[in-house]
Amino acid sequence: GQMRLQATLLFASVVLASAEQPFDADFAPIQNAGNYSTLLDTINKTGTDGVISSNAPVTIFGPSDFAFSVISDQIAGIPDQQLVDILLGHVIVNSTITTDVLAKEGCIVAMTAGGQNISIYRDPLTGAVDVDGVGVTVADILGHYGVFHGIESVLLPGAIDFLGCPAMPDFSPIAESGQYTTLLNVVLETNADFIIAVNPPVTIFGPTDSAFATIQGGDTNLTDIISDHIVISRDIFSAEIVSSGCVDAETVGGLRLAIRYDNATNTTSINGLPVIDLDIAGEYGVFHGIDGVLLESNSDYRPCTDFSPIVEAGKYETLLNAITQTKMDDLIGQLTPVTIFGPTNDAFATFQATPDGIIDEELIQQHIISIESIPFEFMARVGCYETVTTGGMTVDIRYDNSTNSPTTTINGIPIVEVDIVGNYGVLHGIDGVLIQGVTDYTPCADFSPIAEAGNYNTFLDAVIQTRTNELISEYSPVTVFAPTDSAFAAIQETLDGMSDSQLSENILYHHMIIYKEIFSAQVVASGCVDAETFGGSMVAIRYNGATGTAMVNGVPIVELDIVGNFGVVHGIDGILNESVAEAYIPCPTATPSTTIVPVLSDEPSKAPVAPSVPTSNPVSPTKSTSSASVAYVYASFAAVIAMLIL
């Protein structure tokens, strides 16, 4: 566990029970609490009550009946003296450590009557108390014996680690500035130094002495005030504030902060208060001095993420209220740019009228796509795009211009307003609510023809797992050489050691030719076709008229012309990987007219184009392969295809 240094150390000597005890230990208050019968029976059975009486007042940390039941097998049959030692490890003699004492001290290290050191720690934020990590469940049962606290486990020697008390941070760098004396006194008085000690690094926004003077004498809770000036587990230096322009944070007290840098004036503020000292660093983290006190009542908090363009649209108030209430604005700020598919007020009203119509954080996350700005232009250009929301829902975004009134949908829900742009990214208004497992997701690339072929399951799983299906949708029509299940099985050990990116870049991309459909008829007619794969390697697809067989870089093609809305797939009995260039023999130069180079010069050769960075040559969302062209291929070359399959 986390090591703590000793804050307060109590030593106690044990007076052994004698025939003349000061008083008989009366454990009625503990008995009345009702959950400590095993403890009290064991105390009486072993005579430990005499030790308690002779050394009162004492502090007892008493395990519950359930706690004893958990270790019943371990202590069954052990000698009474050993049982006494265990019990004495729960008793601190000649002391009364109440929660009031702990509230003042923060943490106490004491020696038990059994001779072990234990640390009792009170969380200054929650008030929760633990004994070396074992929670106190019932506190301050007072009696003639002293004070009793119920705990959730037995403190078995060797089973519970001694944690000690937190090492207090050195605030001397702050003290040396000379204008934060009141702040440091409040930190110590409220035990906020414990908060800082156990949650490093922290960022402290410290009011000056003169700022604190303006609130003295009022009805102020210093613990609440100091809690609203500390951000735990995060050190926010000025470099981060300057580079981002605005940083959102939340204090341990729950106050939301926006720290802004104004480039025009070279000044920094927090919730409207001037920051006058920056980057006083120490072992605590970082300190910034401020000319004011952060109070809930006067806090001018405006999120760094500016939703005013959405507000001005006038139909997304329910969405914006939900984003604020669930604190999703903080997440959006961290994940910008984002794409938000925002239900209109009417859409949310319809949803809320249903039995399960609860708007919560999980629902809002289903409407946000992080670190990706998807403008309408991109949707119209690619025709169909698949991605995953922050909440884990897969969505398909479709643009259909096949009618006089083009439509755009997400999982079948109409997109009614597009491109509300702000510093968050972009919002598109939708006339419905995206619900996991309810709204319809249809893959952009329909691989059912490949699945029906029944011999390419491993290939399809890999395509989905690596999200190469999204790539195929974006760059369709494509020609894919799909290895059979047995071909993948032959390299299973290699596959097991690959990450998703390695699987896609080293293997799958070398089986894809984008923006082109190469049917068997073309290969038969020309005898040989050269092409470049998406992975950047060259392949030569050859037809052998003498044997009626086709190969790609020497790998046999075993199934031809599996056609779908993605393009065309040919099944192969082998793997085209990164080293495929070694097997590439260019087609004869005597037939240059049959050579095709399917990759456009300004298209990427390795990685997919991010939605927020459109390619320079727009791709029509209408797929280039029409049903007429496919029919022509089948009609013209049906006999040749039949011969190849046979």
Side-chain angles (χ1 to χ4, degrees):
Q2 178 184 2
M3 287 305 297
R4 304 169 178 165
L5 294 183
Q6 298 175 6
T8 302
L9 181 60
L10 299 181
F11 291 96
S13 58
V14 180
V15 177
L16 295 179
S18 65
E20 300 182 62
Q21 298 176 3
F23 61 84
D24 291 329
D26 179 8
F27 296 120
I30 305 173
Q31 186 70 51
N32 293 338
N35 195 20
Y36 303 98
S37 299
T38 306
L39 170 71
L40 295 177
D41 290 346
T42 308
I43 286 175
N44 291 326
K45 171 189 171 185
T46 58
T48 311
D49 53 338
V51 176
I52 293 172
S53 298
S54 300
N55 294 278
V58 301
T59 301
I60 305 170
F61 294 99
S64 65
D65 290 339
F66 177 76
F68 271 110
S69 71
V70 171
I71 64 160
S72 58
D73 291 342
Q74 292 175 255
I75 63 175
I78 65 172
D80 281 355
Q81 185 55 53
Q82 190 174 348
L83 199 54
V84 168
D85 292 341
I86 292 174
L87 293 174
L88 292 179
H90 295 73
V91 179
I92 302 169
V93 301
N94 300 318
S95 68
T96 306
I97 305 173
T98 62
T99 51
D100 285 343
V101 172
L102 278 170
K104 180 179 179 181
E105 297 293 338
C107 185
I108 294 174
V109 171
M111 181 177 291
T112 69
Q116 302 94 12
N117 278 337
I118 60 173
S119 55
I120 309 110
Y121 174 70
R122 179 184 181 274
D123 188 315
L125 289 177
T126 65
V129 176
D130 70 74
V131 182
D132 285 327
V134 175
V136 171
T137 55
V138 177
D140 292 346
I141 300 178
L142 302 175
H144 289 161
Y145 45 81
V147 64
F148 175 93
H149 306 290
I151 58 175
E152 60 189 358
S153 298
V154 179
L155 303 175
L156 284 176
I160 304 296
D161 292 333
F162 170 69
L163 299 181
C165 291
M168 292 300 100
D170 177 12
F171 295 117
S172 58
I174 304 172
E176 289 167 5
S177 68
Q179 55 181 336
Y180 303 103
T181 303
T182 305
L183 167 78
L184 293 177
N185 288 339
V186 171
V187 165
L188 297 177
E189 180 181 338
T190 61
N191 287 330
D193 49 344
F194 283 92
I195 299 174
I196 295 167
V198 300
N199 296 285
V202 303
T203 302
I204 306 169
F205 295 98
T208 61
D209 292 338
S210 58
F212 261 121
T214 63
I215 65 165
Q216 287 181 341
D219 184 16
T220 56
N221 183 315
L222 291 179
T223 299
D224 291 345
I225 289 175
I226 200 63
S227 295
D228 283 337
H229 290 76
I230 301 171
V231 177
I232 62 173
S233 305
R234 185 180 179 189
D235 47 359
I236 306 170
F237 283 89
S238 61
E240 179 183 352
I241 303 168
V242 170
S243 65
S244 61
C246 187
V247 174
D248 275 310
E250 184 172 347
T251 68
V252 292
L255 185 66
R256 304 183 74 182
L257 308 175
I259 310 122
R260 286 182 161 81
Y261 173 71
D262 186 336
N263 187 56
T265 60
N266 192 30
T267 56
T268 304
S269 63
I270 177 170
N271 286 19
L273 298 178
V275 179
I276 57 174
D277 272 329
L278 287 165
D279 295 348
I280 301 177
E283 61 187 29
Y284 43 82
V286 65
F287 174 94
H288 306 295
I290 58 176
D291 190 18
V293 180
L294 292 167
L295 300 172
E296 187 74 44
S297 58
N298 68 1
S299 174
D300 181 21
Y301 169 69
R302 291 175 294 110
C304 292
T305 306
D306 179 10
F307 293 116
S308 58
I310 306 174
V311 173
E312 292 166 5
K315 60 181 75 169
Y316 304 100
E317 287 79 9
T318 306
L319 170 71
L320 291 174
N321 289 337
I323 286 175
T324 302
Q325 290 169 6
T326 59
K327 299 184 179 179
M328 287 299 297
D329 49 342
D330 281 350
L331 183 65
I332 290 171
Q334 296 169 26
L335 299 177
T336 54
V338 302
T339 301
I340 305 171
F341 289 94
T344 62
N345 294 336
D346 290 343
F348 266 131
T350 301
F351 169 71
Q352 288 179 298
T354 65
D356 298 322
I358 299 173
I359 303 175
D360 55 14
E361 178 180 342
E362 182 179 352
L363 183 76
I364 297 300
Q365 286 188 356
Q366 308 299 4
H367 294 77
I368 299 172
I369 297 166
S370 60
I371 319 179
E372 190 172 23
S373 182
I374 307 174
F376 172 71
E377 178 274 334
F378 177 81
M379 294 186 276
R381 178 166 59 84
V382 301
C384 187
Y385 181 69
E386 294 179 52
T387 188
V388 179
T389 68
T390 305
M393 180 192 297
T394 303
V395 293
D396 63 282
I397 307 158
R398 296 176 185 271
Y399 174 75
D400 183 356
N401 66 349
S402 61
T403 65
N404 291 332
S405 301
T407 59
T408 310
T409 59
I410 176 169
N411 281 23
I413 296 175
I415 296 175
V416 294
E417 189 169 8
V418 299
D419 290 351
I420 301 177
V421 179
N423 68 355
Y424 47 84
V426 63
L427 177 138
H428 307 296
I430 61 175
D431 190 22
V433 177
L434 293 166
I435 306 171
Q436 183 79 277
V438 176
T439 47
D440 295 330
Y441 157 69
T442 305
C444 291
D446 180 7
F447 295 124
S448 57
I450 308 173
E452 290 166 5
N455 196 25
Y456 306 99
N457 295 323
T458 307
F459 168 75
L460 288 176
D461 288 345
V463 165
I464 300 299
Q465 174 185 322
T466 60
R467 296 180 67 176
T468 306
N469 56 317
E470 297 174 16
L471 200 67
I472 291 173
S473 296
E474 182 174 349
Y475 293 128
S476 64
V478 300
T479 299
V480 178
F481 296 98
T484 61
D485 291 338
S486 58
F488 269 119
I491 63 163
Q492 189 60 51
E493 289 188 10
T494 302
L495 294 176
D496 290 342
M498 282 187 168
S499 64
D500 285 355
S501 61
Q502 290 171 328
L503 177 58
S504 56
E505 293 174 10
N506 297 346
I507 293 184
L508 295 179
Y509 290 176
H510 295 279
H511 292 74
M512 293 168 44
I513 299 165
I514 64 174
Y515 297 129
K516 290 290 181 181
E517 291 170 302
I518 304 174
F519 288 93
S520 60
Q522 180 182 356
V523 180
V524 170
S526 61
C528 185
V529 174
D530 280 314
E532 184 178 352
T533 69
F534 186 71
S537 55
M538 294 298 297
V539 293
I541 310 140
R542 284 180 163 81
Y543 170 66
N544 187 329
T547 61
T549 58
M551 307 184 86
V552 55
N553 281 23
V555 176
I557 299 176
V558 295
E559 192 163 5
L560 292 161
D561 296 350
I562 302 173
V563 180
N565 66 356
F566 49 83
V568 62
V569 167
H570 306 296
I572 61 174
D573 191 20
I575 303 293
L576 302 174
N577 55 29
E578 210 170 10
S579 61
V580 73
E582 299 173 8
Y584 167 65
I585 301 174
C587 294
T589 55
T591 56
S593 62
T594 64
T595 302
I596 61 171
V597 182
V599 179
L600 303 180
S601 60
D602 60 349
E603 292 295 344
S605 61
K606 277 285 182 185
V609 176
S612 55
V613 187
T615 53
S616 55
N617 287 344
V619 182
S620 170
T622 305
K623 307 307 181 186
S624 65
T625 303
S626 66
S627 58
S629 65
V630 174
Y632 169 78
V633 170
Y634 278 123
S636 302
F637 300 102
V640 176
I641 294 171
M643 177 184 68
L644 285 174
I645 294 175
L646 292 174

